[in-house]
Amino acid sequence: MVFEPDGRRRYVVIGAGAVGGVVAAHLVETGHNVVLVARGEHARRIRSRGLVVRRPDGVHTVGMTVAEAAGEVGLSPSDVLFLTVKTQDVESVLAEWAWKPVHSAGGPVGVGADLPVVTFQNGLAAEGAALRRFDNVYGATIAVAASFITPGEVVSPSLPPVAGVIWLGRHPGGRDDVQDSIARDLKKAGFAAFSVMDERCHKAAKLLGSVGNALDLLSGPNDLRDRARILLREEAVVALQAAGIPLTPHHGLDYRGVRLIILPVAGHVPGRFSTWQSFARGATSEVDYLNGEVVLLGRLAGVAVPLNRRAQRLAADPRFAPFRSLAVLLDGTDGLPGHASCNARS
C-alpha cells in the first residue's frame, strides 16, 4: 500500500492525555483532519462539548471527532497514526490497531500496520514494539509542559509559535519524505518540529531527564531532590553508554536555538511531570519504562544502577508507599525499611 501524503491526510491520535490532547487540539485548530481516540469519561466529555484546553491566554474549547476504540475508526491510506498513550499501554494498543483493515474507494488495500505510526512515548521501548508489526515507524521525542488531570481538559502552558518542541525521525534510523511532511504539519500546528536522522539519541536524551520524574512522588527537601536528580541521571548515562546507545554531544536535547517558554495558567500548578499526573489520576505508572529502562540496560550490560533500581521500587511497588522519601532513596542501601533486603545485583 502506498501512503498518500497529500491534502487528504488524517491524523489518528491514539491516546488523549496531556501529549495527545494538546497535539490533537493544535492540529485541529490549524485546519488538519484529526480523530482523537480517548476513553471513558474523558471521551464522553470531549464528544459532548469539545476538548477544553487551558492556556496562558485563556480557556479554549476545541471541537473534534472522538472515538473510544479502534473499532469506531475506519482507516484509509491517507491516515497517519500518532501513538500518544503511555509506554505501559503501547503493546495492547499496537495489537488493537495493527491488523485493522485499511480501505480506499475501491475496497480493502491493506492493514493498519502498513500506515506510518509515530511513537511519542518516553523511554526506549515503544519504537521496537511498533517495529514488530508496523513497516514504517517514526520516533517522536516531545518537550512540552502539558498536563492532564481532569476528564475533558488538558493544560498547555506554552503558546505558538512554540507550543512544544518535537524531534521526529525514522526508526531505527534515517530520514524520508514522510517524516519531513509530518514535521511540516506539526510546525504549521504551532510546534517547533525537527525532522532528524538520529531519533534514538533524542529519545535517550529525554530519558536522562525523565529518570527524575519519580522524585515527584517522594517527600523531602529540595536540596535532596536536586542531588537525587543528578545521581539518577549520572547512572542513566553510564547505563546508556554501556549499552551502546548513542547520546547527543552534551547528553541533552538539542533545541537548536528554540526557546520553550512556560507561562502561568490560571488554576494550574506547574512542574508536575507525567509520572505524578498518572499517580494523581490513579492510573498505572510508566516508571518501569523510565527508571526501569535504566535498570534493564544496566543488567544487560553488567553495570550497577542501584539508585534507579531503588527509585523504580519506591514509585512502582505499592508495598513501599510508606517509605516514599528522598532520604530512603539516598540512604545508600538496596534494602528498604520494613521489608526483606533487596540486595540482588542491579
Side-chain angles (χ1 to χ4, degrees):
M1 181 173 63
V2 178
F3 172 62
E4 302 174 11
D6 58 20
R8 295 190 299 272
R9 175 179 301 158
R10 179 179 65 169
Y11 287 102
V12 181
V13 181
I14 307 168
V19 169
V22 168
V23 169
H26 280 279
L27 286 169
V28 169
E29 289 175 312
T30 49
H32 293 90
N33 189 3
V34 173
V35 175
L36 179 64
V37 182
R39 293 181 293 190
E41 182 63 19
H42 191 43
R44 289 188 286 275
R45 293 192 186 188
I46 299 170
R47 180 175 279 149
S48 66
R49 69 178 185 185
L51 178 64
V52 175
V53 185
R54 300 190 178 277
R55 296 185 176 127
D57 61 353
V59 178
H60 303 251
T61 301
V62 184
M64 63 183 71
T65 303
V66 179
E68 292 195 52
E72 297 179 19
V73 182
L75 295 177
S76 74
S78 58
D79 288 338
V80 174
L81 307 182
F82 274 9
L83 194 62
T84 53
V85 298
K86 291 291 180 64
T87 311
Q88 62 268 27
D89 298 320
V90 161
E91 182 60 31
S92 61
V93 171
L94 289 170
E96 184 179 18
W97 287 85
W99 312 122
K100 275 182 58 64
V102 174
H103 291 85
S104 70
V109 292
V111 293
D114 298 319
L115 299 173
V117 61
V118 182
T119 52
F120 280 82
Q121 285 66 39
N122 290 328
L124 305 176
E127 292 70 42
L131 202 61
R132 189 179 298 276
R133 297 181 177 90
F134 284 77
D135 292 332
N136 297 293
V137 176
Y138 301 87
T141 301
I142 184 168
V144 63
S147 296
F148 165 49
I149 301 295
T150 304
E153 300 182 4
V154 293
V155 177
S156 181
S158 302
L159 295 171
V162 187
V165 186
I166 299 172
W167 297 261
L168 176 71
R170 188 175 178 87
H171 183 81
R175 180 175 177 175
D176 61 22
D177 292 341
V178 173
Q179 75 184 62
D180 289 347
S181 181
I182 295 170
R184 285 194 297 270
D185 283 352
L186 289 168
K187 186 173 183 179
K188 178 184 174 184
F191 297 92
F194 304 115
S195 182
V196 300
M197 293 281 292
D198 50 354
E199 60 84 23
R200 191 160 173 80
C201 79
H202 291 84
K203 288 279 185 177
K206 187 174 182 186
L207 177 62
L208 292 178
S210 298
V211 292
N213 286 8
L215 300 177
D216 287 348
L217 305 182
L218 307 184
S219 61
N222 286 335
D223 60 334
L224 288 187
R225 196 176 310 278
D226 293 341
R227 179 184 168 211
R229 197 177 303 277
I230 291 169
L231 294 175
L232 288 167
R233 179 185 172 91
E234 288 176 349
E235 279 190 358
V237 169
V238 171
L240 287 162
Q241 290 176 331
I245 295 173
L247 289 166
T248 55
H250 301 291
H251 300 169
L253 291 168
D254 179 9
Y255 284 83
R256 306 185 187 191
V258 171
R259 290 185 64 203
L260 178 62
I261 300 174
I262 301 170
L263 300 169
V265 175
H268 171 62
V269 178
R272 291 169 170 174
F273 295 102
S274 56
T275 301
W276 183 91
Q277 293 174 36
S278 294
F279 178 82
R281 296 196 312 273
T284 57
S285 171
E286 62 183 340
V287 71
D288 289 338
Y289 297 93
L290 301 179
N291 305 94
E293 187 70 36
V294 176
V295 171
L296 172 62
L297 295 175
R299 286 172 176 157
L300 291 173
V303 173
V305 288
L307 201 66
N308 276 275
R309 181 176 181 273
R310 206 172 306 135
Q312 179 189 17
R313 291 181 177 232
L314 283 169
D317 190 334
R319 295 176 302 163
F320 298 148
F323 308 109
R324 282 182 177 151
S325 77
L326 292 164
V328 169
L329 178 67
L330 294 168
D331 71 358
T333 69
D334 278 337
L336 290 170
H339 293 277
S341 176
C342 301
N343 286 321
R345 178 172 166 267
S346 294

